[in-house]
Amino acid sequence: MEVSDAYIRVDIKVSVDNIFWYARPVGGAEKSYHHGNLREALLETAFGLVDSEGVEAISMRALAREAGVSSAAPFRHFADKQVLLDAVAEKAAAEFERKLDEATAQCSDALTQFRAMSVAYVRFAAEHPALFDLIHSTESISARFLGEVKDERRLKLIALIIEGQNAGLIPEVDPELIALASEALTHGLARMIVDRHPRLRSLSSEEARQLALAATHLLQTGIGLS
Amino acid sequence: MEVSDAYIRVDIKVSVDNIFWYARPVGGAEKSYHHGNLREALLETAFGLVDSEGVEAISMRALAREAGVSSAAPFRHFADKQVLLDAVAEKAAAEFERKLDEATAQCSDALTQFRAMSVAYVRFAAEHPALFDLIHSTESISARFLGEVKDERRLKLIALIIEGQNAGLIPEVDPELIALASEALTHGLARMIVDRHPRLRSLSSEEARQLALAATHLLQTGIGLS
DNA sequence: CGTCGAATGTGAGCGTTGATAACATTGCCG
DNA sequence: CGGCAATGTTATCAACGCTCACATTCGACG
């Protein structure tokens, strides 16, 4: 051909947005129009993604892609992105609560329960900073569940303190105040780890444990005279 | 005309993105091609916007619009959005630091300085939650300044504690540990306010003051025996 | 068993955003 | 004054959240 030296340049623009079927499993007789369990699948991968990459890493479209589904599908299950995040936060809070309960379950007296709770609290923050952050920064109305959970834990803590006071282990100061102070200490420690405080970046969970123990101990004994 | 009953529907799509000159002042002989002080203008409005609306509220394009400038102009001064946010965080941190210094300046002994610092810390969080959050969540490399500031403050706190120990006001426990615990308590209180803890949502700054005082007092006296 | 509505998924597209590249204008330094 | 660096503009991308009209499927009810 005599035109072999001439080139016609063609730019082809392809929207890659909806090439979703590649994400479907290639092996079996899949490709059912309905996913079957999309809501849970989205929640699951979102949870994992937040835990490993942080909240910023999640996008509705990426989740859809991952699930092998069109980018509009997720909106059938979550009204908007915030609702999805709320659901992830709820899941994370449940997990958090589970660990706290697990930690205090084997303790007998109020004081060791008290300490075990602090340790578990700080450890969770150290091990799952993004989830911890999500739990405490989410403040949507629909996530009222979170508020209830936190409040419930607060009441439990107060009960623990009163128990300690009855046993003569804790002085007769306003239990609410004591609860607040110890919550603040624990939450502050956890937050400093998550916020990457210069002194505390990337702690092992064992170090986190030591730290929580030392700090709560210090709170108990006090650091000086008023 | 005989076509008076016939309608031709025309949909006109207009990109409104680059209609920027409306934002320029209409009065004077402005309209200089160069803004003259764009970097500072952007920083200023970003700072205000974060403080009043939160970090999520800021977008490069909105800032450009506000400054009366094309949407690409900001990138001449900030490599990307994160750099801009880092700069805002730095500004906020400077302001924060200023307030802390101001609060401790008038105190004589170590213990009252110690308390005044806690109070100022918590008050700033209560009054500027979004700025507080930005300061502590930013962790970019370029924002190393933040780390230095925080570290400097930590050293100052430790010095304060040692001073207190020398005066016999604080027991001879590892000063680092004491610093950490008191930092955690204060930071935790501040964070609980910012994170809208059920017990502490929307505190007045006077309430914040009371709270910080009570909590630090409790830390000093301790809440029980080890 | 068939049918019909509700639940769920698809495709296309709107408007916004962060970011980049090529080009225009200006200030300033020699 | 001339030229170069700083600064601003225009046009354009890709990605995102979200919506709408339409398609497919499931399941309850006759």
Side-chain angles (χ1 to χ4, degrees), chain A residues 119-129 189 193 196 199-212:
Chain A
V119 170
Y121 197 102
V122 173
R123 275 187 59 175
F124 186 88
E127 289 166 17
H128 307 283
L189 228 43
I193 294 171
R196 315 197 126 237
R199 184 79 176 66
L200 302 179
R201 22 183 40 122
S202 64
L203 244 54
S204 79
S205 64
E206 173 55 23
E207 290 169 309
R209 191 182 142 270
Q210 298 279 358
L211 201 61

Side-chain angles (χ1 to χ4, degrees), chain A residues 136 139 154 170-171 176 180-181 183-185 187-189 191 195-197 199 211 217 219-220 222-224 226, chain B residues 136 139 154 170-171 176 180-181 183-185 187-188 191 195-197 199 211 217 219-220 222-224 226:
Chain A
H136 290 95
E139 53 151 332
R154 201 171 62 82
I170 296 174
E176 287 235 14
L180 204 61
E183 244 186 308
L185 185 70
H187 187 68
L189 228 43
R191 264 297 184 192
D195 293 346
R196 315 197 126 237
H197 183 279
R199 184 79 176 66
L211 201 61
H217 181 261
L219 179 62
Q220 286 161 32
I223 64 167
S226 63
Chain B
H136 291 94
E139 54 151 332
R154 200 171 63 82
I170 296 174
E176 285 237 14
L180 204 61
E183 247 187 306
L185 185 69
H187 187 68
R191 263 298 183 192
D195 293 345
R196 313 196 131 241
H197 183 278
R199 184 78 176 68
L211 200 61
H217 180 263
L219 179 62
Q220 285 160 34
I223 64 167
S226 64

Side-chain angles (χ1 to χ4, degrees), chain A residues 133-146:
Chain A
D133 195 62
L134 183 60
I135 292 174
H136 290 95
S137 66
T138 295
E139 53 151 332
S140 149
I141 308 152
S142 83
R144 172 164 302 155
F145 167 79
L146 288 183

